[in-house]
């Protein structure tokens, strides 16, 4: 069965630190990849997505993610986090003909000012 | 464009009751998906509707059902509520560009079953 794994469940950083959140999926074919963010008290928002083309994808608020097919990974990065980045981050994968989005369990990020 | 709207935002029910949740997708979006979000299980896919037809279904019991109307609005129904049904229920509407689909989420309905 297809699955998505987010290795870091809780991350605590200080402002200006660099961020990398891991996401790995299990599917050998064509995938569409997404990162969503859920700020406290707010709804899920799309951060960025990858369908095809350049494996380095830039999203909103300075986030980017790199699709590495050989590693089945789609890690999220930001060079310098801010307190306002405190949120829960979800990786999701849509694989093959199965149109269901498969979700990771999320990573809770806390940024200390 | 207005985003995905869900009503009600909060709901308290007791075991055995039933509940209906409503979702209005973004204008022009014809696909609506429903998810259950809980702290331990994350987001679990319930079902997807497109043009009033259920196109995909997750692994939930038959107590969970849904429908979609001709204006793309969707409702989700849970009958015979159990304590474990307490969760945030999310609706997402989809934008398709060719075969590429992006889901946009509503704020959710937080259901508490006592």
């Amino acid at each position: 069965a297809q699955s998505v794994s987010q290795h870091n469940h809780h991350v605590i950083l200080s402002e200006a630190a660099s961020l990398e959140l891991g996401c790995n999926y299990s599917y050998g074919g064509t995938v569409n990849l997404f990162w969503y963010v859920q700020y406290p008290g707010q709804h899920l928002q799309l951060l960025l997505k990858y369908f095809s083309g350049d494996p380095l994808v830039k999203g909103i608020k300075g986030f980017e993610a790199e699709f590495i097919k050989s590693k089945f990974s789609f890690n999220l990065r930001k060079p310098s986090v801010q307190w306002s980045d405190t949120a829960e981050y979800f990786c999701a994968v849509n694989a093959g003909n199965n149109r269901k989005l498969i979700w990771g369990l999320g990573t809770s990020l806390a940024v200390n000012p | 464009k207005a985003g995905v709207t869900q009503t009600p935002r909060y709901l308290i029910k007791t075991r055995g009751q039933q509940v209906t949740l409503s979702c209005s997708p973004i204008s022009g979006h014809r696909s609506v998906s429903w998810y259950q979000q809980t702290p331990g299980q994350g987001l679990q896919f319930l079902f997807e509707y497109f043009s009033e037809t259920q196109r995909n279904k997750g692994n939930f019991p038959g107590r969970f059902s849904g429908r979609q109307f001709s204006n793309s609005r969707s409702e989700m129904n849970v009958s015979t509520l159990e304590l474990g049904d307490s969760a945030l229920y999310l609706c997402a509407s989809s934008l398709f560009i060719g075969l590429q689909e992006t889901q946009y989420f509503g704020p959710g309905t937080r259901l508490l079953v006592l």
Side-chain angles (χ1 to χ4, degrees):
Chain A
Q2 296 155 13
S3 65
V4 176
S5 175
Q6 291 183 240
H7 316 294
N8 320 100
H9 297 297
H10 300 282
V11 173
I12 301 174
L13 295 173
S14 297
E15 275 194 318
S18 64
L19 170 72
E20 179 158 4
L21 301 182
C23 173
N24 285 88
Y25 61 91
S26 62
Y27 183 74
T30 302
V31 290
N32 297 326
L33 301 155
F34 306 84
W35 275 98
Y36 284 84
V37 61
Q38 192 170 31
Y39 297 103
Q42 295 189 30
H43 60 278
L44 275 165
Q45 299 174 39
L46 180 68
L47 261 183
L48 47 78
K49 59 188 177 184
Y50 171 82
F51 289 128
S52 63
D54 189 344
L56 185 60
V57 180
K58 293 195 184 299
I60 61 171
K61 306 188 180 188
F63 285 91
E64 65 178 32
E66 185 175 12
F67 170 49
I68 303 180
K69 190 173 181 180
S70 60
K71 294 185 178 180
F72 300 93
S73 71
F74 190 56
N75 291 355
L76 181 71
R77 300 195 294 245
K78 185 171 184 178
S80 176
V81 294
Q82 301 172 316
W83 175 78
S84 58
D85 293 325
T86 294
E88 189 133 17
Y89 293 81
F90 294 91
C91 179
V93 177
N94 186 323
N97 293 326
N98 183 345
R99 295 187 53 262
K100 291 188 286 188
L101 267 182
I102 309 299
W103 294 79
L105 290 179
T107 297
S108 175
L109 171 66
V111 180
N112 295 323
Chain B
K1 260 187 186 177
V4 178
T5 59
Q6 292 186 246
T7 56
R9 293 292 310 278
Y10 303 92
L11 209 46
I12 300 175
K13 292 284 188 178
T14 56
R15 277 181 300 173
Q17 286 187 307
Q18 68 136 26
V19 67
T20 299
L21 313 181
S22 180
C23 170
S24 292
I26 293 171
S27 177
H29 290 193
R30 294 168 61 192
S31 169
V32 172
S33 299
W34 287 90
Y35 294 87
Q36 181 193 67
Q37 185 180 18
T38 56
Q41 300 291 321
L43 276 93
Q44 303 285 309
F45 173 76
L46 281 154
F47 26 65
E48 182 214 1
Y49 286 87
F50 182 87
S51 293
E52 302 178 63
T53 301
Q54 188 181 86
R55 192 157 68 166
N56 222 333
K57 191 177 186 307
N59 299 321
F60 277 81
R63 299 185 297 108
F64 291 81
S65 63
R67 60 178 175 167
Q68 187 180 33
F69 302 94
S70 58
N71 62 358
S72 295
R73 190 177 70 85
S74 177
E75 286 183 349
M76 189 195 116
N77 185 275
V78 188
S79 61
T80 320
L81 284 165
E82 301 176 359
L83 295 180
D85 296 334
S86 294
L88 181 66
Y89 290 89
L90 295 171
C91 167
S93 74
S94 294
L95 172 65
F96 289 88
I97 299 176
L99 295 177
Q100 297 174 348
E101 175 188 7
T102 304
Q103 293 190 1
Y104 296 89
F105 284 81
T109 294
R110 189 165 295 280
L111 171 65
L112 177 62
V113 182
L114 301 175

